[in-house]
């Protein structure tokens, strides 16, 4: 597919972009787990697909203690599931008299909505930013400053 589209030496990211538009992929409308109807199609790291759930953990960086664990469907991707994990984390930490201050996550969690939500919650974000090229902020000016603040933090020394 990559060669047909004109890409001589495709990177993994190029292949992922091409695969998104490929017809006849599995659909959650077509597949149902016989014992767990909430399971969704999930692509594993080795490329296989399985009906599964998404497990997320919140970990205290200083002590490496697991603070919260959530099990979610894979429908919305990382950006959609972060809110649930943060809610659970804040709830559990409130029981011991503390609150989270920072969020560290990979680029799958980066979105305008995520940056705004983290700012609104009063959390410092350290979320890797995917390579999107030059951004236009005309449609979503509210996300510009939180994104720039996050970018400054991930490029500097963590304090």
């Amino acid at each position: 597919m990559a060669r047909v589209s004109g890409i001589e030496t495709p990177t993994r990211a190029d292949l992922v972009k091409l695969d998104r538009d490929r017809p006849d992929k599995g659909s959650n409308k077509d597949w149902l787990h016989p014992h767990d109807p909430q399971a969704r199609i999930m692509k594993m790291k080795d490329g296989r697909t399985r009906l599964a759930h998404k497990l997320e953990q919140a970990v205290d960086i200083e002590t490496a203690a697991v603070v919260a664990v959530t099990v979610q469907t894979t429908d919305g991707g990382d950006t959609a599931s972060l809110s649930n994990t943060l809610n659970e984390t804040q709830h559990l930490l409130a029981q011991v008299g503390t609150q989270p201050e920072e969020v560290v996550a990979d680029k799958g969690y980066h979105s305008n909505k995520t940056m705004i939500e983290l700012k609104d919650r009063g959390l410092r974000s350290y979320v890797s930013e995917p390579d999107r090229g030059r951004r236009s902020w005309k449609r979503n000016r509210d996300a510009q400053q939180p994104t720039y603040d996050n970018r400054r933090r991930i490029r500097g020394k963590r304090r």
Side-chain angles (χ1 to χ4, degrees):
M1 269 180 22
R3 288 190 189 103
V4 170
S5 67
I7 303 172
E8 284 297 319
T9 54
T11 64
R12 186 166 177 82
D14 293 333
L15 294 174
V16 168
K17 285 180 185 178
L18 288 171
D19 192 49
R20 279 189 199 130
D21 300 327
R22 182 175 54 89
D24 300 326
K25 292 191 299 185
S27 168
N28 285 316
K29 294 175 187 172
D30 300 334
W31 294 92
L32 182 66
H33 192 283
H35 306 293
D36 188 1
Q38 292 181 338
R40 300 289 183 261
I41 293 175
M42 185 175 203
K43 190 170 185 176
M44 310 307 271
K45 288 184 178 183
D46 63 0
R48 296 177 298 156
T49 55
R50 294 279 185 261
L51 287 168
H53 291 279
K54 179 179 179 179
L55 178 72
E56 285 189 343
Q57 308 90 12
V59 178
D60 180 18
I61 292 178
E62 292 177 11
T63 63
V66 176
V67 177
V69 176
T70 60
V71 178
Q72 303 175 49
T73 62
T74 60
D75 289 343
D78 290 341
T79 57
S81 62
L82 183 61
S83 289
N84 295 334
T85 302
L86 285 175
N87 289 339
E88 182 68 12
T89 302
Q90 287 180 318
H91 171 73
L92 293 172
L93 287 177
Q95 292 178 1
V96 294
T98 188
Q99 285 296 314
E101 298 173 358
E102 301 174 334
V103 173
V104 179
D106 64 36
K107 66 183 176 182
Y109 292 90
H110 194 285
S111 71
N112 289 339
K113 181 181 170 190
T114 300
M115 294 294 101
I116 292 169
E117 179 182 359
L118 294 175
K119 180 186 177 199
D120 290 347
R121 287 180 183 243
L123 298 169
R124 284 188 305 275
S125 61
Y126 294 87
V127 182
S128 297
E129 191 171 1
D131 185 18
R132 293 188 180 116
R134 188 168 176 83
R135 307 235 358 232
S136 172
W137 298 105
K138 290 179 184 175
R139 285 190 230 148
N140 200 344
R141 293 209 184 270
D142 295 341
Q144 183 176 10
Q145 194 58 50
T147 300
Y148 286 165
D149 292 344
N150 177 72
R151 189 180 294 167
R152 178 183 44 78
R153 281 190 292 270
I154 63 175
R155 291 181 180 170
K157 284 189 172 185
R158 184 175 169 271
R159 294 180 188 162

